[in-house]
Amino acid sequence: MRIVLVGPPGAGKGTQAARLAERLDAPHISTGDIFRENMKNETELGKEAQRYVDAGDLVPDEVTVKMVKDRLAQPDAQEGFLLDGFPRNTAQADELQKVLGDLGQRLDAVLVFEVEDEELIKRLMARGRSDDTEETIRHRQEVYRSETEPLIAHYQDIAVRVDAVGTIDEITDRAMDALADEPDD
Ligand code: AMP
């Protein structure tokens, strides 16, 4: 299956993506993880991305799209994937559609993880990543609302909502149920 995960920062997307990837036997492709890995190894891509990631801004589409294209061209992504954190805006969604369209492929579902704002801030403050200061968290939430949330309407035909409050197992089960309910076309 070809799946995109959407949700505000702190919704537990990364945790769920890793679990769903295992259950579906598809690679978990997290653009945030790829950026962080590159920043840690001080690669050119990492140096380019650093200031945006630190500020909670989106890394420019050009850089991000190229990185995702390269990743989707890898052998393990040919039968399916879980994209976690991409697309983040409608321009990226259009690029993704082009890439898949050229291969005669399309997305099967977009899982939208839903959690209220107050709960999100609480979770993020507890996480302690370097881009998890209160100011950056608030900024990332604004970026989510203005740039990423419009994707839910963009993908209305294949978007399924998942209540992302509960235990990790409950949420994985809900996401799997949501995927099972999604008709093939
Ligand atoms: P995440 O781990 O998904 O929260 O991503 C962490 C940071 O990586 C974001 O705040 C952005 O700076 C950057 N990032 C991740 N995915 C994207 C994307 N699709 N487009 C632009 N920037 C991204």
Side-chain angles (χ1 to χ4, degrees):
M1 285 185 104
R2 297 181 178 86
I3 299 166
V4 161
L5 278 76
V6 173
K13 256 185 311 131
T15 304
Q16 292 301 328
R19 295 166 65 94
L20 292 170
E22 201 162 302
R23 293 215 198 171
L24 297 167
D25 194 25
H28 169 203
I29 302 177
S30 158
T31 43
D33 284 350
I34 302 175
F35 284 131
R36 279 185 290 276
E37 184 65 22
N38 276 276
M39 282 160 39
K40 195 175 77 189
N41 296 328
E42 298 180 7
T43 66
E44 279 309 307
L45 176 66
K47 284 182 207 158
E48 236 176 315
Q50 182 103 42
R51 64 194 161 106
Y52 299 101
V53 174
D54 286 347
D57 283 320
L58 295 186
V59 177
D61 287 349
E62 205 182 281
V63 176
T64 309
V65 168
K66 180 180 182 307
M67 178 177 93
V68 171
K69 275 188 189 167
D70 289 348
R71 182 62 188 90
L72 290 179
Q74 299 294 312
D76 66 337
Q78 300 318 301
E79 298 303 318
F81 50 75
L82 265 106
L83 270 176
D84 164 14
F86 183 94
R88 253 338 203 257
N89 57 31
T90 50
Q92 293 181 3
D94 290 342
E95 290 291 335
L96 178 61
Q97 196 180 348
K98 263 192 253 164
V99 173
L100 296 180
D102 286 347
L103 297 167
Q105 302 171 353
R106 64 189 164 87
L107 292 175
D108 295 295
V110 173
L111 289 179
V112 182
F113 287 85
E114 296 190 315
V115 183
E116 283 180 7
D117 278 359
E118 288 304 304
E119 171 71 19
L120 289 174
I121 303 237
K122 238 194 297 171
R123 289 188 191 181
L124 288 166
M125 294 302 290
R127 193 165 72 171
R129 220 166 67 182
S130 70
D131 58 348
D132 280 346
T133 63
E134 186 164 355
E135 194 191 334
T136 320
I137 290 169
R138 290 202 186 277
H139 183 59
R140 294 213 313 278
Q141 288 192 329
E142 283 164 22
V143 171
Y144 176 78
R145 300 286 172 223
S146 61
E147 300 275 323
T148 310
E149 217 167 41
L151 285 178
I152 301 172
H154 179 92
Y155 283 129
Q156 58 179 337
D157 293 344
I158 54 168
V160 272
R161 293 169 192 271
V162 178
D163 174 6
V165 180
T167 67
I168 291 176
D169 282 333
E170 277 165 2
I171 300 165
T172 309
D173 288 342
R174 277 181 213 147
M176 288 299 292
D177 288 347
L179 290 175
D181 288 345
E182 182 64 5
D184 280 345
D185 40 30

